Amino acid sequence: QVQLVESGGGLVQAGGSLSLSCAASGRTFSSYTMGWFRRPPGKEREFVAAISWSGGPNDYADSVKGRFTISRDNAKNTVHLQMNNLKPEDTAVYFCAARYRTAINYSHWGRGTQVTVSS
C-alpha cells in the first residue's frame, strides 16, 4: 500500500514559481509511475505530468509544457513538480498519484494541495 502526502502549495503572483512535493510511504516507490493532476475551480480533474518508474520520457499536458518539470528521488520516496511562469489558469488543487509499473489506472491518490495564482 502506498500513501501519498502533498506539500508546497500556496499563493503566488502570475509569473512566479512554486515547487510541489509528494512524499510516499512504502518500500516499492521505485516501481510506481508517479503523476500530478489538478482540479481547477468548478472543473474536472485533469492530467498535469507523469514520470515513469522505468526511466522513460516524462509526460506533460500541453498547457504546462515548457513551464512545469516533474522529477523524482527514489532514495527519498518523493516526487516533485517545479512550476515556473505560473498563470492564473494554473489555479487548482494539485494531487499526487501513483500507479504500479504498467498499470493503466492510478490506484493511489493524495489529498491534494491548493495552488492559487493571482493576476
Side-chain angles (χ1 to χ4, degrees):
Q1 190 74 3
V2 176
Q3 293 184 326
L4 305 173
V5 179
E6 303 94 339
S7 62
L11 173 64
V12 65
Q13 288 187 333
S17 299
L18 276 177
S19 181
L20 304 183
S21 295
C22 174
S25 65
R27 292 174 289 182
T28 58
F29 175 77
S30 61
S31 294
Y32 284 82
T33 288
M34 301 300 297
W36 285 96
F37 291 75
R38 67 188 183 186
R39 186 175 65 230
K43 297 184 179 180
E44 297 294 318
R45 187 172 61 196
E46 62 187 28
F47 169 77
V48 175
I51 185 165
S52 171
W53 68 279
S54 61
N58 298 338
D59 191 18
Y60 296 93
D62 287 343
S63 58
V64 307
K65 281 182 182 176
R67 301 187 297 121
F68 290 12
T69 302
I70 189 171
S71 62
R72 66 189 298 161
D73 185 339
N74 288 339
K76 296 183 178 180
N77 281 17
T78 56
V79 61
H80 304 281
L81 185 68
Q82 178 64 41
M83 305 185 294
N84 298 327
N85 190 21
L86 283 160
K87 304 175 181 181
E89 52 263 42
D90 294 317
T91 294
V93 178
Y94 283 72
F95 299 90
C96 176
R99 57 183 173 89
Y100 186 72
R101 294 199 174 184
T102 56
I104 295 174
N105 296 318
Y106 286 85
S107 54
H108 300 83
W109 293 85
R111 293 187 174 185
T113 185
Q114 176 71 46
V115 171
T116 302
V117 184
S118 63
S119 57

